[in-house]
Structures are given as structure tokens and as C-alpha cells.
Amino acid sequence: GKLSPGTGEPYTGGDVQRAIWALVDDWQGTMYLGPWSEPRVQEIVEDAKMRGEGFVPGCGQLTGFFLNPIGNGCTPYTPITEPYQLTIVVVPVQCNQPSCSVLPATICEGDSAIMEVKVSNGTAPFDYAWTVPSGASNPGDVASFTTSVAGLYSVVVTDANNLTTSCQAELTVNLKPAALLVNNAKKCANDPTPITLSVTHDPVVNPTYYWTPGGATTQTIQVSPTETTIYTVKVTSQAGCWAEASGTV
């Protein structure tokens, strides 16, 4: 069957709701139906009657429908075998349109974040269709999920009335410093000569340092322990990502 508002071509098949909503989406229209003897025609008419009041998808309200027989003008009209004209009138109303938001997130390399969509308005239940960056697993029809892949995450939300909204957010993944302590050394307990300890921190630049014991905040320190001592340095990037390295003197 074919739905052709205003053309006079009969519609006698297909999905009933699709036929009705095709008219509703245009706020009003005329559908030409086949003979009343077609069960699908009766079903379409009954469906229209049941939807004569109340809100409908497309944010409209059905205010009336008119079912008129179509004669051919040459022979007496026979309602069982000749087609009908179904006219639907719809008035736009305020729409309960859903809206959504996804908060951006920033994590350190090796950590994970929860990407979650928040939906306002609309009619539950909601369906979710995510688009994720290359390398990330698509979570499917869920409101939240855990990921560690940097990039843009977007989601299309569809409510029970088939109204949609979309939103997106970026996940930023910052590098951790690869802290490596150099110059592990030995000395005699009674030797006053200081030993130099230093830490490397590729690939980050301009990090901060904190050594224990001692509390030094430089990349290189000099120590003169009187007994075997483990020295640990914490290297923190400007983004707040950190790593530790230890050495024994």
C-alpha cells in the first residue's frame, strides 16, 4: 500500500501507526483508503478513532477526523467496495522535548572514567545510541559506562514518544611521567662524600618533585646517609598525573 495525502491514491496496507503518524507529522492531511471490505482499512479507521484525543508523537493533539465515502460520480455509491477518504486534523501543542548533557572528563594515563548522559524532560523509557572514539568499545543502549580511551563521546537519546535529543563530551587522557631514579650508589658509613641522586621523567615537562626522606623538591639531590637508606621521589605533571621511583643508598 501507499500513503499519499492529497493525491487520491488508496492506502490499503502497511503499518497502521505509520500511516496515521505520517499524517500527524504534517499536522494534518488526507489519506485515501481502499474499500471498507479491506480489513486493513477498518483497522486504520479504528486506530484513528482511538487517537481522537490526547497527545501524540510529533507534539500534536488530534482534534478530529473525517471519514467520507468516495463515489465515482457515474454509478450509485457502494460503501462496501468503493474507497473512503480519511482526513485527520491535528493542532500543535507544547512539546515535552527531551534534552541531555554529558559531562567532560579528564583522567591520567592508565585510569578510567565514567561517561554518563543525564536526560531532562521527555517521556521514559529512553533509548541510547552512543558514538565513541576509535579504539573504544561501544557500550550499546546504556546511560553510563566506563572507558579509558581519549576522544569525543556523543549520544542520541530517544524517548518513548520517539522524540530525540543529542549531546556530546570530550574525554581527555593526560600522560603520566615515567619516573626513573638514576645513580643508585654505595658508600662507606664513615665516608662524608655526598652521593648525587637524580630522576628522569619523560615524556612530561616541568613536573614537580618531592623526595623522602628529606622533603627536597628538586630533580637532583645530594645525600650522605650514615646507614643504608631507601630514597623515594614522587614526580607530578602539571596535569596532576604522578609516578614514583625509589633507589637505595
Side-chain angles (χ1 to χ4, degrees):
K2 181 178 180 182
L3 175 63
S4 303
T7 67
E9 297 183 29
Y11 176 88
T12 58
D15 179 68
V16 173
Q17 290 189 4
R18 181 179 64 83
I20 298 299
W21 298 143
L23 296 183
V24 171
D25 285 344
D26 292 328
W27 303 122
Q28 60 185 12
T30 299
M31 184 195 316
Y32 289 83
L33 307 175
W36 184 255
S37 57
E38 292 281 351
R40 297 293 291 175
V41 173
Q42 299 176 44
E43 189 176 355
I44 291 171
V45 173
E46 290 304 315
D47 189 67
K49 289 180 180 178
M50 289 188 295
R51 298 175 189 275
E53 297 180 356
F55 296 103
V56 296
C59 302
Q61 187 174 23
L62 287 172
T63 59
F65 71 95
F66 308 94
L67 185 63
N68 301 312
I70 303 173
N72 58 23
C74 297
T75 60
Y77 173 68
T78 306
I80 297 300
T81 60
E82 296 192 14
Y84 279 79
Q85 180 188 68
L86 175 64
T87 299
I88 295 177
V89 179
V90 180
V91 176
V93 296
Q94 184 175 1
C95 185
N96 186 26
Q97 177 70 37
S99 61
C100 69
S101 62
V102 180
L103 293 179
T106 300
I107 60 174
C108 294
E109 184 181 16
D111 296 336
S112 59
I114 296 177
M115 303 301 290
E116 181 176 13
V117 58
K118 299 288 188 180
V119 181
S120 301
N121 302 320
T123 304
F126 301 100
D127 293 328
Y128 309 93
W130 289 89
T131 301
V132 300
S134 176
S137 298
N138 194 297
D141 185 7
V142 295
S144 65
F145 60 98
T146 301
T147 183
S148 59
V149 178
L152 186 66
Y153 291 78
S154 60
V155 60
V156 176
V157 181
T158 304
D159 78 352
N161 287 330
N162 206 36
L163 300 177
T164 63
T165 184
S166 62
C167 47
Q168 61 185 30
E170 190 87 19
L171 174 61
T172 302
V173 179
N174 291 315
L175 296 175
K176 283 185 176 180
L180 178 64
L181 191 66
V182 297
N183 295 338
N184 284 10
K186 296 181 179 180
K187 62 172 291 185
C188 295
N190 58 356
D191 183 358
T193 304
I195 290 178
T196 300
L197 298 179
S198 181
V199 63
T200 61
H201 49 70
D202 291 338
V204 301
V205 296
N206 299 323
T208 61
Y209 312 93
Y210 186 81
W211 292 83
T212 55
T217 57
T218 56
Q219 184 175 2
T220 300
I221 64 172
Q222 289 186 328
V223 297
S224 298
T226 58
E227 61 183 2
T228 299
T229 304
I230 297 175
Y231 289 87
T232 300
V233 58
K234 181 178 182 179
V235 183
T236 305
S237 72
Q238 294 183 13
C241 301
W242 59 273
E244 288 184 338
S246 298
T248 302
V249 175

